Amino acid sequence: MSLPTSFTNPPGRRYGSVALCRDRDGAVLMLHPDHKAGLILPGGCAAAGEWPHDACVRITEEETGLRVMPEHLAAVDFIPANPDNGSAEGVNFVFDCGVFPTGTEVTLPEKGFRGYTWVPVGDLEALAPSYQARRIRQALSASAKGRTAYLVQGVPALPGVSRVGS
């Protein structure tokens, strides 16, 4: 099957940049959005023309009050379009933003979030949507090896790339 491409009329896509922040105990910073169930990483859609790492810094500070410094691109995660909610296909860049002191306080904006929590990795599946838990586990594994995971909805997408734990 051949998909049409055009440089003058490309398909609409969104890209997001999210921050993987951990505390010294290895727990991952996650936010409780008020518009959907489950926990998410800080970050979101980049503005037109904005570099992914700049979007990560900007949005993470807006959402948490933390000034992060992306240290490593831990994962690139393709998300197919969802006709049920009308969202366009997209790509999320997951940046490893390092380790913060245990108990680091987060300052949430007045609107958009119900709270935040530092989630132990063992609790990810119970608290986050499955694709988020998979994405985080793959990003942590890749970052620990100095690599970048290439994913589709949190699942490795390249031949010969094994899943975490297999």
Side-chain angles (χ1 to χ4, degrees), residues 102-140:
T102 300
T104 294
E105 290 292 323
V106 169
T107 304
L108 298 174
E110 288 184 27
K111 295 181 182 177
F113 300 98
R114 295 187 305 265
Y116 73 93
T117 188
W118 293 88
V119 178
V121 174
D123 294 342
L124 286 170
E125 285 75 12
L127 299 172
S130 58
Y131 76 93
Q132 282 277 348
R134 289 190 305 265
R135 175 188 292 165
I136 293 166
R137 286 188 180 281
Q138 292 294 332
L140 287 168

Side-chain angles (χ1 to χ4, degrees), residues 18-33 39-43 56 59-68 94-95 97-101 103-108 113 115-121 124 127-128 132 136 140:
V18 296
L20 182 61
C21 303
R22 289 159 287 136
D23 70 11
R24 288 194 177 121
D25 297 325
V28 176
L29 175 61
M30 299 193 75
L31 307 178
H32 259 291
L39 298 172
I40 61 172
L41 292 172
C56 178
I59 299 168
T60 301
E61 186 170 16
E62 290 172 359
E63 293 180 348
T64 67
L66 299 176
R67 181 79 174 160
V68 298
V94 182
F95 290 96
C97 292
V99 176
F100 291 77
T104 294
E105 290 292 323
V106 169
T107 304
L108 298 174
F113 300 98
Y116 73 93
T117 188
W118 293 88
V119 178
V121 174
L124 286 170
L127 299 172
Q132 282 277 348
I136 293 166
L140 287 168

